[in-house]
Amino acid sequence: MYVNVNTDACLEELSKYLRSPSTRERFPHYNPDMLLEAIELVMRNNIMSFGDLFFLQLSGVAMGISPAPPIASIFYAIFENIMLPRWTHSI
């Protein structure tokens, strides 16, 4: 699941969610800009090694890093909130 998360789409949706008035009201103790900057830093700068070779992951959330499960879960929860209302008549 993690590597299938589109980095740009994830950052955009997280930005909308974290900056929304309802989220800010529920969680007034955090700074969304600082949190988004940290998430982007993690998502855009994942370097892995294989033997003596190093690779920069260009897309998706890297498996094995601590913030991967919550980033992916929050992104897919936001995605479900957008998509499910469109299909409730078919369920």
Side-chain angles (χ1 to χ4, degrees):
M1 172 172 85
Y2 303 149
V3 295
N4 293 322
V5 174
N6 179 292
T7 303
D8 293 328
C10 181
L11 291 170
E12 181 180 333
E13 292 302 324
L14 285 173
S15 177
K16 288 180 200 173
Y17 174 75
L18 293 173
R19 289 185 173 126
S20 74
S22 61
T23 303
R24 297 294 311 267
E25 187 176 313
R26 286 183 63 203
F27 305 103
H29 59 281
Y30 77 89
N31 180 328
D33 295 325
M34 186 169 41
L35 183 57
L36 288 163
E37 188 174 332
I39 292 169
E40 183 170 10
L41 181 70
V42 168
M43 291 185 73
R44 295 205 188 275
N45 296 290
N46 183 55
I47 298 174
M48 62 162 272
S49 64
F50 183 75
D52 59 350
L53 300 172
F54 291 86
F55 301 91
L56 174 64
Q57 182 168 334
L58 299 176
S59 180
V61 178
M63 293 178 62
I65 60 172
S66 297
I71 290 171
S73 295
I74 291 168
F75 174 69
Y76 282 115
I78 293 167
F79 184 75
E80 283 182 3
N81 283 337
I82 294 168
M83 294 305 292
L84 282 178
R86 296 181 188 176
W87 298 99
T88 53
H89 66 279
S90 300
I91 298 176

